[in-house]
Amino acid sequence: MCIRDRVSTQSTWGLLIQGRKMSENGMIWQQLRKLISIVDELSDIGLQKYIQLPRIATLGTQSSGKSSVLEHIVGIDFLPRGDGVVTRRPLELRLVHLNDQNQKPWAVFDEIPGEKFTDFLVVRKKIDEVTDKIAGVSKNIVDKPIVLHVYSPTCPDMTLIDLPGITRIPLKDSDQPSNIEEITKRMALKYVSDRRTIILCVIPANIDLTTSEALQLSKKCDESGLRTIGVITKIDIMDKGTNAKKSLMGQEVPLRLGYVGVKLRSQQDIIDKKNVQQALEDERQYFAKHAVYSTMGFGYVGTSTLSNKLTKILYTHIKHNLPEIIKEINERIKEVSERLTELGTPMPEEPSEKLQMAWSMVMEFCSNFKNAIAGKAISHKDRKERGKHMQGGAQIKMMYYHLYKEYSKSDFKVTEAYDDELMSNAILTHEGDSMPGFPSADVFVSLIQPQIEKLKLPAIDLLQEVYNYLEDLAGTIQQHCFARFPAFGEEIMEKILEVMQEEREKARYLVESIIDSEQTYMFTNDPEYLINRTDIVPENKPEKKEEKTGAGPGEVKKEEQKAPLAPAKEKHKDKEKASLKKSSKIFVLELRTRLDTYFRIVVRNIRDSIPKIIGNFLVRSVQNKLQIELFKRLGEMRDAVNRGFGEPPGIIQERKALNVQLETLRKADRCLTRDPEIASLIGSSDDDLLYELRKETAEEKLSGKPKKSERELLDLTPPEMPQESPKTATESHKEKDEQQRKEAAAVPKPQHPPMQPQPQAQNGVPKPAQGPPQHPVPVPQQQPQASPPKQPPAKTNLFGSTAKKQNNIY
């Protein structure tokens, strides 16, 4: 093959590859346009009121150049200009790209329906007018967004929100409050703390990045750095001999999505009425001719670079968040539908229909009351709460289990309250003047009755505890069933309490009767007691014989030898006392055993009987009588139902709002299910950023880490952004240089490496190689010629694939 043919073949392959890349690139932009159009349609439907959608929000201090950046992205000069605070209401820009380059752009305000503006000087005036209408003319700041749709061939497809800048000190002679800094920070947090919002962090180049308040706030809200893009403005007004290369390359404060530098119009350019298109051309010329920025390669500077980067990141975030949005829509539809079912249909007009509705609500109450006691869930909310604690009949049953629990222990003895002397005196007292040695049954009765009396109070307390629970349960269900008619519900509740109190008194009489019968009439058929504790004379163990001292017959014991001879009369008295003491001890022991055994039998009997009485004559009886008594009450208050059976205004408003929300959710659901290609678009994962986002979401679900509160976000200082003491610029630069020398010597791998473009193609979009770094301090960079360092074996991530170790995502 000749050289000419070889060159011709190489050119043909080059054209084919270039055409294929252009085709893939065009397909990506078509998919991007489709997804962004879906998100815009969801916003137009009104889904943003109930579910957060992917968007881009600017974050920066006052006069950092946020509005100018947005104008450069849109390609049209239309935002208000002035000194001090200019953006006083959030401005939500919904940009729609027009394919026809010759078509004239136009804008539409949501607050001015039916009008289409083609003159963007008029658009600027209208922004001022709608701002003053809500925020006033004295520079006050209000969190009520202005929604502006811009259709232009110069803008990309995306949604941008221009937030008021963080303001530290209120302006003189203005309506700004003294806590304006807190107000502007809270307003910014409302947007940037949302996980579906991409943060466009705008930082002037003439300040130190480590002292940037916007960067600090973004790092607190986005710890992983997967949704923060840095934009360095005022790059052309830095001191001579300095440049922002280190900042752009992430060598000072790294961002995973990197930084983009832009050159905006100066105040003199605005006075000279230089339009945005001319400013964009000047920006291209400035970066192309600059000694440092022209060597940095593609991906670091320029508004076109920023627009492409934002578009692709927004596309990835939409792909990541749409499955969650679809899930939230379905869950919200279920919750709203259930709440509408609870609220019921609107109030009828005819008296007969009103009475029929009242009957239906009473039947619903009685059914729910029975189901709650039977352990059946009565609502979706009740089903969620069932796993947290016991309810209904299970709760009542647990109350039964605690009755007389302390008396049922195996080691409990009721006679521990009596000592032997007291029991001996009781035996002697009830013998009276009768023959000794025959104890009276009255002794047993007198000792057991006070102990049985102690059982009455726990039984009455249990009855009252069950009643209180039934009353609370009835009140909760009454509020649920009669929420639409609270006055009518209160009258029904009065009758419910009347029935419950009546049944409680009946049950109380029976409970007291059971205790009284045990206390006044002693009897048992217990086999253990009848067999072992009914002998007239208890069986005694044989006494041990006295030990002898070894004296033989006729010999006198040593004690008797030492003791003087007692008279026979005194010996006889001692024997009588010993005999009485011995018999009394035997009777006390036997009496103690019989008291403990009988009390245990009584406790066992009434511990079963009391719950049965309460369950049957209170719990079951209330369930059976409620419906009958309530229907009787309805017949008595027929006229009152016809006169005052109406809904409170709050219920009417809630039903109306829920119907609007349900219709919005259903429209959003139809929008997402209309195109079958959407499922395939959001299911693909050929993007490193999408991979990282899904990995982060899975790790958050596994860790269960709670979301930071607004107070924590306002007060905490993240470790990545330390507060430095005031230093001179020279000292600050010396410390940075010294730190970079140490890093270069140790060659560490940063935890969050800067997001720099790689000379690799991704999704059909080629990434040019970066230029050599222009910095006096040697910083380790990736060289295309060097062989890649050996990496440890790749670990499989949560999704079953191998994680890629790269220095950037875009």
Side-chain angles (χ1 to χ4, degrees):
M1 183 181 294
C2 64
I3 297 176
R4 181 182 301 175
D5 293 337
R6 188 182 298 113
V7 172
S8 177
T9 304
Q10 291 176 352
S11 301
T12 303
W13 276 109
L15 290 173
L16 289 174
I17 294 172
Q18 185 178 0
R20 181 180 177 182
K21 289 181 178 179
M22 291 177 63
S23 176
E24 292 177 353
N25 195 21
M27 185 179 299
I28 289 174
W29 289 109
Q30 288 178 4
Q31 295 174 356
L32 166 65
R33 179 70 179 273
K34 181 175 290 187
L35 289 182
I36 292 180
S37 298
I38 289 172
V39 173
D40 288 341
E41 187 175 350
L42 294 177
S43 298
D44 295 336
I45 290 171
L47 187 64
Q48 187 77 26
K49 297 178 182 178
Y50 315 109
I51 297 175
Q52 293 295 342
L53 299 175
R55 57 192 178 180
I56 301 172
T58 61
L59 178 64
T61 55
Q62 179 184 330
S63 301
S64 59
K66 301 185 306 302
S67 298
S68 298
V69 170
L70 295 185
E71 279 188 335
H72 272 227
I73 292 174
V74 177
I76 302 174
D77 186 3
F78 67 101
L79 293 177
R81 294 287 176 181
D83 297 328
V85 180
V86 178
T87 306
R88 299 186 289 121
R89 287 178 62 185
L91 177 61
E92 183 174 338
L93 292 173
R94 298 182 183 176
L95 308 181
V96 180
H97 177 74
L98 300 177
N99 293 325
D100 188 358
Q101 297 296 321
N102 298 321
Q103 192 168 0
K104 191 174 182 180
W106 74 88
V108 177
F109 287 90
D110 278 5
E111 294 185 36
I112 311 175
E115 291 194 42
K116 180 178 177 181
F117 301 93
T118 55
D119 187 352
F120 281 84
L121 294 177
V122 178
V123 172
R124 178 183 297 170
K125 293 179 181 179
K126 291 298 180 182
I127 293 175
D128 285 332
E129 289 178 8
V130 295
T131 299
D132 293 341
K133 182 180 177 181
I134 302 298
V137 296
S138 299
K139 300 296 184 181
N140 193 18
I141 297 176
V142 178
D143 185 13
K144 188 175 182 182
I146 302 170
V147 180
L148 177 63
H149 303 259
V150 178
Y151 301 83
S152 173
T154 61
C155 69
D157 288 293
M158 66 177 65
T159 298
L160 296 165
I161 299 175
D162 186 16
L163 296 175
I166 299 173
T167 306
R168 290 187 176 275
I169 302 173
L171 290 174
K172 183 180 179 182
D173 300 329
S174 69
D175 291 337
Q176 294 179 3
S178 58
N179 62 337
I180 187 66
E181 180 180 4
E182 181 182 352
I183 292 174
T184 52
K185 279 187 176 181
R186 288 184 185 278
M187 188 184 303
L189 278 176
K190 176 183 175 182
Y191 291 88
V192 300
S193 61
D194 177 28
R195 295 178 66 253
R196 293 173 184 165
T197 298
I198 300 169
I199 305 172
L200 192 63
C201 189
V202 181
I203 313 156
N206 53 0
I207 70 167
D208 192 344
L209 287 186
T210 59
T211 62
S212 170
E213 195 158 8
L215 199 54
Q216 287 183 353
L217 197 59
S218 67
K219 279 188 170 287
K220 290 177 184 179
C221 298
D222 178 29
E223 295 181 355
S224 64
L226 293 176
R227 56 186 184 90
T228 302
I229 307 169
V231 180
I232 299 180
T233 62
K234 302 182 181 181
I235 204 167
D236 55 323
I237 61 172
M238 298 180 68
D239 294 339
K240 289 185 178 181
T242 62
N243 59 70
K245 182 175 181 180
K246 291 168 61 179
S247 300
L248 292 172
M249 299 186 71
Q251 295 175 1
E252 292 182 340
V253 180
L255 285 179
R256 298 188 72 180
L257 298 183
Y259 296 85
V260 176
V262 294
K263 177 186 178 301
L264 307 175
R265 291 181 296 173
S266 64
Q267 188 63 33
Q268 186 61 45
D269 292 336
I270 295 172
I271 295 173
D272 296 339
K273 296 184 179 181
K274 179 187 289 187
N275 61 35
V276 175
Q277 292 300 321
Q278 182 60 44
L280 289 173
E281 180 60 30
D282 292 345
E283 180 192 47
R284 282 191 288 270
Q285 294 295 330
Y286 173 80
F287 287 125
K289 296 178 180 179
H290 196 277
V292 175
Y293 303 132
S294 61
T295 63
M296 292 182 64
F298 179 79
Y300 290 101
V301 294
T303 302
S304 60
T305 299
L306 177 62
S307 297
N308 292 335
K309 195 174 208 178
L310 279 176
T311 303
K312 190 172 182 182
I313 291 173
L314 178 61
Y315 168 65
T316 304
H317 274 264
I318 292 174
K319 286 176 64 177
H320 171 67
N321 289 304
L322 269 184
E324 293 182 4
I325 292 172
I326 294 172
K327 183 180 178 181
E328 284 187 33
I329 290 173
N330 293 330
E331 291 177 352
R332 190 69 66 89
I333 288 175
K334 184 178 180 181
E335 292 175 2
V336 172
S337 300
E338 194 162 298
R339 178 56 181 160
L340 284 172
T341 303
E342 293 175 359
L343 294 178
T345 56
M347 187 63 201
E349 298 294 335
E350 295 297 325
S352 60
E353 294 178 352
K354 290 183 179 180
L355 187 61
Q356 182 63 35
M357 179 176 282
W359 279 61
S360 300
M361 286 190 292
V362 169
M363 291 183 65
E364 182 187 4
F365 169 82
C366 296
S367 176
N368 288 346
F369 187 75
K370 290 181 180 180
N371 288 338
I373 294 176
K376 300 177 182 178
I378 60 178
S379 67
H380 178 66
K381 182 180 179 181
D382 183 45
R383 284 192 291 270
K384 289 182 177 180
E385 296 293 329
R386 285 173 67 83
K388 298 180 180 179
H389 54 269
M390 286 182 294
Q391 298 177 346
Q395 183 70 21
I396 295 174
K397 186 167 60 177
M398 290 304 299
M399 298 177 192
Y400 293 159
Y401 289 156
H402 289 89
L403 179 65
Y404 304 138
K405 196 170 184 180
E406 66 277 11
Y407 295 125
S408 303
K409 296 178 180 179
S410 59
D411 58 346
F412 177 80
K413 296 183 182 299
V414 71
T415 55
E416 288 180 353
Y418 305 133
D419 56 18
D420 290 348
E421 184 178 358
L422 186 147
M423 297 182 72
S424 298
N425 291 337
I427 293 172
L428 295 175
T429 299
H430 287 281
E431 279 183 1
D433 58 352
S434 61
M435 178 70 70
F438 297 94
S440 173
D442 294 338
V443 181
F444 182 87
V445 174
S446 66
L447 293 175
I448 199 67
Q449 278 184 341
Q451 303 303 322
I452 296 178
E453 177 69 22
K454 295 179 181 179
L455 301 178
K456 185 177 290 186
L457 184 59
I460 300 301
D461 289 343
L462 174 62
L463 174 65
Q464 186 63 37
E465 187 179 5
V466 174
Y467 170 82
N468 291 340
Y469 181 77
L470 292 176
E471 183 177 325
D472 292 341
L473 181 63
T476 302
I477 299 175
Q478 177 266 330
Q479 292 177 1
H480 168 77
C481 295
F482 300 94
R484 299 170 60 189
F485 314 104
F488 176 67
E490 289 177 2
E491 295 187 18
I492 292 295
M493 192 63 194
E494 289 180 5
K495 186 62 179 178
I496 294 170
L497 294 179
E498 182 181 329
V499 173
M500 293 177 65
Q501 290 169 2
E502 182 180 347
E503 299 308 310
R504 180 190 60 184
E505 294 307 315
K506 292 180 182 179
R508 182 188 181 96
Y509 172 76
L510 293 173
V511 168
E512 291 180 344
S513 297
I514 287 289
I515 305 295
D516 291 341
S517 65
E518 293 286 354
Q519 190 175 7
T520 57
Y521 192 84
M522 308 296 165
F523 178 80
T524 181
N525 272 327
D526 183 71
E528 180 186 357
Y529 190 91
L530 294 176
I531 294 173
N532 300 326
R533 298 301 167 198
T534 54
D535 293 340
I536 296 177
V537 178
E539 183 180 355
N540 295 324
K541 295 180 180 180
E543 297 183 6
K544 294 181 180 180
K545 295 181 179 181
E546 295 182 358
E547 295 182 1
K548 295 183 179 181
T549 59
E555 295 182 2
V556 183
K557 296 180 182 179
K558 292 182 179 180
E559 291 82 359
E560 292 180 357
Q561 290 178 357
K562 293 180 181 179
L565 293 175
K569 192 174 182 179
E570 290 182 3
K571 288 184 178 180
H572 181 70
K573 287 182 179 181
D574 292 340
K575 288 181 180 180
E576 284 183 352
K577 289 181 180 180
S579 177
L580 289 173
K581 187 175 181 182
K582 183 177 180 181
S583 62
S584 175
K585 185 175 181 181
I586 293 172
F587 285 132
V588 166
L589 290 174
E590 181 62 22
L591 181 59
R592 190 181 290 276
T593 304
R594 293 187 182 191
L595 286 170
D596 289 334
T597 304
Y598 187 77
F599 186 81
R600 193 177 298 111
I601 294 170
V602 170
V603 170
R604 184 186 64 198
N605 292 339
I606 63 177
R607 197 181 184 204
D608 290 340
S609 300
I610 299 300
K612 291 178 180 178
I613 291 172
I614 296 174
N616 184 65
F617 292 97
L618 176 62
V619 180
R620 191 65 56 81
S621 182
V622 166
Q623 295 180 63
N624 295 335
K625 291 187 177 181
L626 264 182
Q627 187 167 334
I628 299 173
E629 296 298 328
L630 290 179
F631 281 164
K632 288 181 182 178
R633 184 63 177 267
L634 276 182
E636 297 171 359
M637 53 188 301
R638 183 187 298 266
D639 295 336
V641 170
N642 293 335
R643 287 194 307 269
F645 205 56
E647 286 184 311
I651 298 296
I652 298 174
Q653 294 175 2
E654 183 182 3
R655 185 187 293 108
K656 184 178 179 181
L658 287 172
N659 281 320
V660 172
Q661 181 179 354
L662 184 61
E663 181 62 25
T664 301
L665 293 170
R666 285 174 175 168
K667 285 182 180 178
D669 183 59
R670 289 194 295 269
C671 172
L672 291 168
T673 56
R674 181 177 59 215
D675 190 349
E677 292 184 8
I678 295 176
S680 61
L681 289 179
I682 63 180
S684 60
S685 58
D686 55 347
D687 190 297
D688 289 339
L689 177 58
L690 184 60
Y691 167 79
E692 293 291 339
L693 288 169
R694 291 179 178 175
K695 180 180 178 182
E696 180 191 29
T697 302
E699 289 175 351
E700 286 180 358
K701 289 180 180 179
L702 288 176
S703 64
K705 185 179 179 181
K707 185 179 179 181
K708 284 186 178 180
S709 64
E710 185 180 88
R711 183 175 180 180
E712 288 177 320
L713 292 174
L714 287 172
D715 296 340
L716 289 179
T717 300
E720 292 85 357
M721 301 290 296
Q723 294 288 350
E724 296 184 352
S725 57
K727 299 177 182 178
T728 64
T730 304
E731 292 176 348
S732 178
H733 283 294
K734 284 182 178 179
E735 288 186 2
K736 291 178 184 178
D737 292 343
E738 182 63 28
Q739 183 180 359
Q740 289 178 350
R741 290 190 186 95
K742 292 179 180 179
E743 291 177 354
V747 196
K749 186 174 181 180
Q751 185 177 0
H752 296 292
M755 301 296 108
Q756 300 176 11
Q758 299 293 316
Q760 300 169 349
Q762 184 173 326
N763 292 337
V765 180
K767 298 180 180 179
Q770 66 181 36
Q774 302 293 326
H775 194 272
V777 180
V779 179
Q781 299 289 337
Q782 292 184 353
Q783 300 296 334
Q785 296 82 3
S787 59
K790 293 184 179 180
Q791 299 290 343
K795 296 182 179 180
T796 304
N797 55 44
L798 294 172
F799 303 96
S801 60
T802 303
K804 302 177 181 179
K805 295 189 176 182
Q806 295 183 348
N807 288 337
N808 71 337
I809 294 175
Y810 288 113

